[in-house]
Each structure stands twice: as C-alpha cells, then as structure tokens.
Amino acid sequence: MNAEAIHNVRGALRRLDLRLRLTVDRQRDVMEARARDPFRGLYLTDADVDAILATMTPESVVSTHFSEPLGASWPRFAQLAQAFGLDTLEQEILLITLAPEIDIRYERLYGYLHDDTTRRRPSIDLVARLLAGSLDEEVVVRGALGTGARLLRLGLIVPIEETGTPSTVLARMVRPDDRVVSFLLGSDRIDPRLAGIARLVPSGDASVADGALAVAYGAEVDQLARLVAHPPPGPPQDVPGLRLIYLRGGPGSPRTAIAEAACRQAGRPLLMTDIAALMASDRANDLLPLLLLESCLNDAVLGMHGADRFLAEDTQATTLRRNLRRLLPDHPRPVIMTGEGRWEPSTWIQDAVALSVTIASPGPAARIALWQARLGAHLPQTAIEELGARYRMEPELLDAVASTARALAIRDGRDPPDHRDFRAAARVLAAPPLDGSARRIETRYTLADIVLSPDSTAQLREILARIRHQAIVLERWGFGKKHARQSGVSVLFAGPPGTGKTMAAEVIAGELGLELFRIDLSAVVSKYIGETEKNLEVVFRAADRGDAVLLFDEADALFGKRSEVKDAHDRHANVEIAYLLQRLESYEGLAILTTNLRGNIDEAFLRRLDHILEFPLPEEAERLQIWERALPADVPLGPDIDLPFLARKFKLSGGHIKNIALTGAFLAAAAGSSVGMAHLVRATRREHQKLGKLASERDFEHFFPLLQDE
C-alpha cells in the first residue's frame, strides 16, 4: 500500500469517524441510564474509547465531508462503486465493513459499540445504528444487508462464519471480501484463489496473431468487438439486459483466440476461465462469484472456455448452471462462453441480449497464417506451410509447440530447435484423446520400406499429395467452394491377409507426421441398440479434437452391406450403417478402412470413399524384394541362402514372408549358427502348416532333404 493509497483511504474514512463519534455518544447515554456492570464491555473503558477518538479526524473536519461524494478522495473506491453500480447506502455499508481492514483501531471501537470486544467486525445491527437516523431508515439499512442483498450477491461483502449461531439476524457480522480489500488498497493482481482456473488477458494493441486471425475470421472478430466494446452504464437492473455471447465452433476453430482478439480490438481486458479446471475444484460453486467479482474489478469481459462441460447433464454441471444463472443478472459486464456443442443462450437467460455465434473450423490457409504469426521467427516458410496445412491445431497450442520443440532439441543436445523438433512437438500435441477406444500403433515404416505394385505405390503417393496440398487446391484454387466435403479423406485398403494393408496405413501416418490409432472394435461395438453409434461418436469427436489417422481394421464388422429389413435387428443394423455413412462423410481427418474382401463393404460406402487400393498377393519380383527386406542388415547369413528360389517357389504374402524370416532367425539362434537355407525352409514348412498346406518334395526341390534333418 503506497503513500497515495493511504492518503486516499484516510480521506474516505473521515465521514465514518464522525458517525462513530455520534454513535459512541448515544451508546454512553444508554449505558449511563442503567446500572452498569463493571465488567460490561470487558476491558475497553470509556477512557480507552476517548483516547481512540482523539487520534482520529476532528469532528469539525469530518462534518464537512458529508457534503462530498463518498469516493471523492478515493479514486479506487469511486471506480469500484461505478463498476458495480453501487448506490450511496451500499457505498456507506462497504466503507464501514472495510474500516477494520485498514486501521485496527476500528476493531476496538466496533467491539465497544457491540458491548463485547470479541466482536470486532460490524454486525447488521451496528451498521444500522451507524447509518440510520430513524426507524424507517433502519429498515432500509437492514434490507441492504439482508438475505439476497446485492452487496452479498455480488460478493463484495461476505458473512463471517462464527462458532456459535448468532441469536438473531441482526447479530450476524459481515466483512469485505479479501480481493475487494486488496483492490481498494491498490493491488491489480488476480485473486490467488483463482490460480490455475482463470487468467487475465490485458487490453492493448492488436498482436501479430490477431492480424493472422483476421485473414479468415475478420468479420467474427469485428462483430464480437462491437458487442463487448461499450458495456451498459449503471446498475444492471437499469439496462435492457445482459450481453451473453456463446461462440460455438468445431475442433480446431480458434474460439478463444477470437475472443481475445475481439477484446483487444475493443480495448477491454478479458478474464478467461477454464471451465474444466473450475469444475475439477471441490469449491467450484464458491469460486464462481469470485470470477464475476474479479472481472468487474478489472473492468474485464468474463470469458468461459469449454462450455460443453458446463452444459453437461450431471449433478455438478446442473448446480453450477443454476448458480451462474442466479448471479449473472447482477453482473454488469459482457460474458463470452466458448464450446463445441449447439446451445442457444437466449433460451437460458431470459430478458437478456444473448446470442450464439458459429465459428467455422480454419482451412489450411488460415492455419498457415496462424503458424506464420506465432512461429514464423523460428521456421522457414516451407516448414510453416507444411505444418500449418497438416495440423488442425488451436492457436493457443502453438506456443506449447514452440516450448515442447525446444525441450526436445535440448534433450537431443541441440539448441535452437529445428524443423524436426517442431514436427515432433506438433505430432505429440495434436494427438487426440482416444484412450480406451483405440490403440496407438507405432509408425515404423516409410515409403522406402513397403513393396507394392507400381500402381499401388503411385496411389499411396496420391493420398499423401491430397492431404499435403489441400491449401492450394481447396482454398487458393477455389475447389473448397464447389465441394461440400473438403478436408476429410477416406481410404479403403482391400486384399488378402498379410498383403501390407496395415503397413501401408503406418507408412501414410509416418510420412504425414501423424499418430495412427487402430479402432478397438471390442470397445466400440455393442449388442445394445444405439450404443455402437454412441461409442463411435465418442471416437470421432475425440479424433476431431486433434490430428491423427484412424484405422478401422477388419472394417466389414462396421461397414458391411445393408440387408432387407425383416425384423427389428435388421432395422437397427441398417440405421447403424446409415449413421456411419453420414459420420464418415463429415469427419475432417483421414480415415483408413481395411478389409479382406472388397465385396463385403456396402456400396454406399464405396461411393463416398476418396481412394480404394487393392492389395493383391505379390508377384515373384515383389516377393524377392520382400524377402530381401525381411532379413535385417545385421543378421548373419549363411553362404547357401537362395532368396530367388524362395520367391519363385512359394506364393506367399508379405506378412507370411516376414513370419518365416523371424522364425528362421530363432531356429538359427537356437542352433548357435548364422541363418542358413535349412532354417528358412523349415520355417517355410511351419508357415505352410499354419495355412493347412502340406510340404512336398516338389515344392522344396533340392532343399527338401534339409527338412529330413529336423
């Protein structure tokens, strides 16, 4: 508390000093009119009170201040009164409760006037005696501190919890909230009770990120800035209604960034609250009034991020909504909520200016602009274009990408970070929360590792090109305006087991720098009607919050053909397929379906797929390449190895060839020798047995005797 603040406080307390003098005189008249217990008032005597009053402002000086506005000498007090629309009586009450927090002498005087020095805060009765000159005025004062009074609803004054219940309502003591005291004494620090729940975004000039945001969302920022620029003057009850704005947008849409940019444009601070963090606290309903109080003290717009949790249908969310609905009518500042679900706030808050604004998910060009604004100083333009087009990441996560990239670089003994570090950081942070419904697959392969026909390899490259160059084709060339479906890509891999379908999915995810998640059908498919669709919706919504490749292995179980409706089971199965048709089409990421038989997939799915790749059994030349790549460079090979023979004689898939190579390596290790032809032909025989085939001399030719030594 600086010298200026002390001077201002002293000036504001002068009028209270006179009220105390007058009330002390009246108290003495009452006490002298009756026999007085020598221990009444405990240890505070009349002489003690006189000594305290003598140190306060003289009566002649105090009386002149009744003609001045209460906050005339205390700018912070006047600012608070204006922010909350407090009338003169409410200001007087607040000052009385505040006095003991400023000067401990008021504690002793309040104890004297209570005739009990243990009661050192003002009671409702004492406030009424200090401010009321008649019975009618006393009723008004009591009403200003009664149940539901604005000072209590606004959180400016809080009741004091006592060990014993007061005998009457009038005996209840009150005090100013701690944050109100710190604000009036000059502190602008956010309430420590809100640490980790809210952060104050100061007003100021538009940032570089705001300029990037304006590329795609200029109209939305301008609209929101107009709504929050001019708060209604005076108490809330004197204006048409509260301004409640709900920003709704899909995953990746910069709802929070738009709110921040609009408030900066309007010259207003923003108190942004994380609703999930608020509801994780066991004191959520106690912290809610503190948020509203803090936003008013900072003349800030109140932002509430993550309204989907707030709108949930559970006991905690219902209670929090009810409390917020009760508090908002007294809140004289705009409120912005952000979320993904559909909600019309005008149906929730009546007699209020409330509306819902839909924010579209950013396209590749907008994402590139945001990456350029936030990370352009760290990366070359080519890297910015690659990462911005690939990751559908909310703008506020880009700062986390930068810090994570630097941590990865330091871990590897490099600083500053390079493109590899930023790509790895983005990949980690963009991964969706799919725990429990999908299993993450480690992507170990690149295009150089997979052996396919030239046409299939070309199609894999076309899929990669489609995803990498969306910004050019969809936005710069205008194809996005002509096609309903834009950024989503769906692919079907069809072919016998072991022909490389899952490996190809790994290649695509690895080349794109995305995580690969295989959908766990056991966690998704349910025998109960409607449950499969609900489980799949959870998967798709989680995937929409990040960037990943979804792999529906054995897709026949979900995307099978619709059948003629003969009973309720058939009808439900067809409804499930219809849901999948719609949801797959609206999914904005990359979905890969695999099947052993293309004919098992419903024709409606095939029509909606962007690419269909056939994975036939490899020909001899391709099998030879697979054999060569199945044996690592570090494995010791015997001189009799004849891979061309194995590729020519055994028409196996790549998966079977890899199994044979691995089994042969274990046989060689058990024998303590290098891998020879004997180990490979024996492993081939075992693989044939798994397939239900017999090993004949005609198949193995001159290597058949090696099988006799088993």
Side-chain angles (χ1 to χ4, degrees):
M1 185 175 179
N2 54 38
E4 182 182 358
I6 294 175
H7 175 76
N8 293 337
V9 172
R10 290 295 181 204
L13 291 177
R14 287 171 182 166
R15 63 198 295 136
L16 176 59
D17 293 348
L18 179 56
R19 294 191 187 279
L20 287 168
R21 286 177 183 275
L22 297 174
T23 306
V24 166
D25 290 340
R26 291 196 298 268
Q27 175 96 343
R28 284 177 176 168
D29 292 340
V30 172
M31 295 172 67
E32 290 173 0
R34 65 174 187 261
R36 185 176 180 199
D37 185 338
F39 296 103
R40 182 175 295 277
L42 296 179
Y43 300 104
L44 192 64
T45 66
D46 291 345
D48 294 330
V49 174
D50 287 335
I52 294 173
L53 292 175
T55 63
M56 292 183 169
T57 309
E59 180 176 347
S60 60
V61 176
V62 174
S63 59
T64 63
H65 285 266
F66 277 115
S67 61
E68 298 179 359
L70 196 149
S73 61
W74 193 355
R76 283 244 166 186
F77 195 95
Q79 179 184 342
L80 181 143
Q82 182 181 14
F84 289 93
L86 302 182
D87 59 28
T88 302
L89 176 59
E90 290 170 329
Q91 294 178 49
E92 294 277 11
I93 294 173
L94 181 60
L95 183 64
I96 291 171
T97 64
L98 183 69
E101 308 291 339
I102 308 300
D103 191 332
I104 200 170
R105 292 176 300 173
Y106 291 97
E107 283 193 340
R108 302 187 69 192
L109 286 175
Y110 289 173
Y112 176 83
L113 293 173
H114 280 129
D115 200 16
D116 182 350
T117 54
T118 64
R119 296 175 61 79
R120 300 187 171 196
R121 292 292 187 277
S123 64
I124 296 177
D125 174 69
L126 176 57
V127 174
R129 283 192 284 149
L130 287 170
L131 296 178
S134 65
L135 181 59
D136 290 341
E137 291 179 355
E138 187 173 334
V139 171
V140 174
V141 174
R142 291 180 180 182
L145 283 171
T147 303
R150 285 187 70 247
L151 286 172
L152 295 169
R153 294 201 313 268
L154 292 169
L156 297 172
I157 291 177
V158 294
I160 295 178
E161 296 183 3
E162 301 181 68
T163 53
T165 304
S167 56
T168 64
V169 173
L170 292 177
R172 293 175 182 168
M173 293 188 292
V174 291
R175 65 175 180 82
D177 183 81
D178 292 342
R179 178 65 183 103
V180 173
V181 176
S182 67
F183 171 81
L184 290 173
L185 295 183
S187 174
D188 290 320
R189 296 184 60 185
I190 193 170
D191 194 325
R193 291 169 290 184
L194 299 177
I197 294 173
R199 59 185 176 88
L200 186 65
V201 182
S203 59
D205 296 334
S207 66
V208 176
D210 292 346
L213 200 66
V215 172
Y217 299 101
E220 288 85 348
V221 171
D222 291 342
Q223 178 190 39
L224 189 57
R226 287 193 298 271
L227 289 170
V228 302
H230 303 291
Q237 60 266 28
D238 295 339
V239 297
L242 170 76
R243 292 176 180 174
L244 177 61
I245 305 107
Y246 177 57
L247 296 185
R248 173 180 175 265
S253 60
R255 303 178 297 273
T256 302
I258 288 174
E260 293 181 7
C263 288
R264 275 191 289 267
Q265 183 172 313
R268 302 290 302 278
L270 173 68
L271 183 68
M272 183 54 73
T273 306
D274 185 341
I275 293 180
L278 172 66
M279 298 185 70
S281 169
D282 55 2
R283 299 180 58 247
N285 288 293
D286 295 329
L287 295 176
L288 192 58
L290 299 182
L291 286 167
L292 300 172
L293 175 65
E294 188 68 45
S295 70
C296 285
L297 292 177
N298 288 279
D299 191 24
V301 176
L302 177 61
M304 305 189 77
H305 170 69
D308 298 272
R309 179 66 187 90
F310 172 78
L311 297 172
E313 295 300 328
D314 56 58
T315 302
Q316 184 189 22
T318 301
T319 302
L320 199 65
R321 284 199 305 273
R322 183 171 59 248
N323 289 336
L324 183 61
R325 190 176 185 179
R326 174 177 55 84
L327 293 168
L328 278 181
D330 289 314
H331 185 64
R333 294 291 175 274
V335 177
I336 299 174
M337 290 187 178
T338 70
E340 296 181 16
R342 181 176 177 80
W343 179 55
E344 292 298 333
S346 57
T347 63
W348 185 66
I349 295 288
Q350 298 179 351
D351 300 326
V353 180
L355 74 159
S356 175
V357 178
T358 300
I359 307 297
S361 297
R367 295 199 300 268
I368 291 172
L370 290 170
W371 275 79
Q372 179 64 46
R374 295 289 181 99
L375 300 175
H378 305 285
L379 290 169
Q381 184 62 29
T382 54
I384 289 291
E385 291 179 357
E386 175 197 343
L387 296 173
R390 180 173 306 164
Y391 294 107
R392 298 176 296 131
M393 194 175 295
E394 295 184 5
E396 49 266 30
L397 274 180
L398 296 183
D399 293 332
V401 169
S403 60
T404 303
R406 187 160 190 267
L408 293 173
I410 293 173
R411 181 198 64 184
D412 297 336
R414 291 179 286 103
D415 196 25
D418 59 19
H419 179 205
R420 294 169 297 172
D421 301 309
F422 280 93
R423 182 175 181 177
R427 178 173 182 169
V428 170
L429 293 172
L434 284 169
D435 296 339
S437 56
R439 184 172 67 85
R440 178 179 171 274
I441 298 177
E442 186 71 30
T443 54
R444 301 159 293 175
Y445 304 112
T446 66
L447 276 171
D449 297 316
I450 193 168
V451 178
L452 297 173
S453 67
D455 184 64
S456 296
T457 302
Q459 288 192 68
L460 279 184
R461 295 185 185 277
E462 290 167 9
I463 294 171
L464 294 172
R466 177 168 185 147
I467 297 171
R468 285 170 173 161
H469 301 295
Q470 287 182 346
I472 296 174
V473 175
L474 297 180
E475 298 194 17
R476 192 183 306 172
W477 292 353
F479 277 86
K481 300 176 183 178
K482 300 290 186 180
H483 294 266
R485 189 176 184 201
Q486 298 185 15
S487 58
V489 177
S490 55
V491 180
L492 175 67
F493 293 162
T499 50
K501 299 184 294 295
T502 302
M503 185 179 182
E506 289 188 40
V507 168
I508 289 177
E511 291 288 334
L512 293 174
L514 299 175
E515 299 288 354
L516 175 65
F517 288 91
R518 175 189 279 134
I519 304 304
D520 184 356
L521 295 182
S522 66
V524 170
V525 177
S526 173
K527 65 180 180 180
Y528 298 105
I529 294 177
E531 286 301 312
T532 299
E533 292 93 319
K534 290 181 181 178
N535 296 338
L536 283 168
E537 182 61 25
V538 170
V539 171
F540 279 113
R541 286 182 65 85
D544 277 333
R545 295 191 190 98
D547 289 282
V549 178
L550 294 186
L551 175 61
F552 292 88
D553 215 356
E554 305 296 339
D556 317 51
L558 289 173
F559 301 88
K561 289 186 175 181
R562 284 171 287 190
S563 59
E564 181 183 350
V565 177
K566 297 180 180 179
D567 53 28
H569 177 77
D570 294 335
R571 185 180 300 108
H572 165 61
N574 289 346
V575 168
E576 182 179 302
I577 294 173
Y579 159 77
L580 280 168
L581 282 168
Q582 298 174 8
R583 195 59 180 87
L584 189 64
E585 196 165 27
S586 65
Y587 177 54
E588 295 187 2
L590 172 60
I592 298 177
L593 288 61
T594 71
T595 179
N596 293 337
L597 186 61
R598 172 177 171 173
N600 290 340
I601 303 296
D602 191 284
E603 287 295 327
F605 283 114
L606 297 178
R607 181 179 61 82
R608 286 170 168 82
L609 294 171
D610 299 298
H611 294 270
I612 298 178
L613 273 71
E614 296 287 351
F615 286 75
L617 288 172
E619 298 297 332
E620 180 180 344
E622 295 161 359
R623 292 197 296 271
L624 178 57
Q625 292 182 58
I626 296 173
W627 273 108
E628 291 171 345
R629 298 181 189 189
L631 296 168
D634 296 331
V635 65
L637 298 178
D640 61 338
I641 289 292
D642 190 351
L643 296 182
F645 169 81
L646 295 172
R648 175 174 53 84
K649 291 295 295 183
F650 301 104
K651 297 181 179 180
L652 299 168
S653 69
H656 295 310
I657 293 173
K658 290 179 180 179
N659 290 340
I660 294 171
L662 183 62
T663 302
F666 278 113
L667 292 174
S673 65
S674 58
V675 177
M677 200 61 183
H679 307 114
L680 293 182
V681 296
R682 292 172 186 172
T684 302
R685 179 182 183 181
R686 296 301 180 211
E687 197 69 19
H688 271 66
Q689 289 174 338
K690 286 164 54 179
L691 296 172
K693 297 180 180 179
L694 297 177
S696 65
E697 184 174 356
R698 181 180 177 182
D699 292 327
F700 290 91
E701 295 183 358
H702 57 284
F703 290 110
F704 185 74
L706 296 176
L707 299 176
Q708 311 305 315
D709 298 334
E710 289 185 287

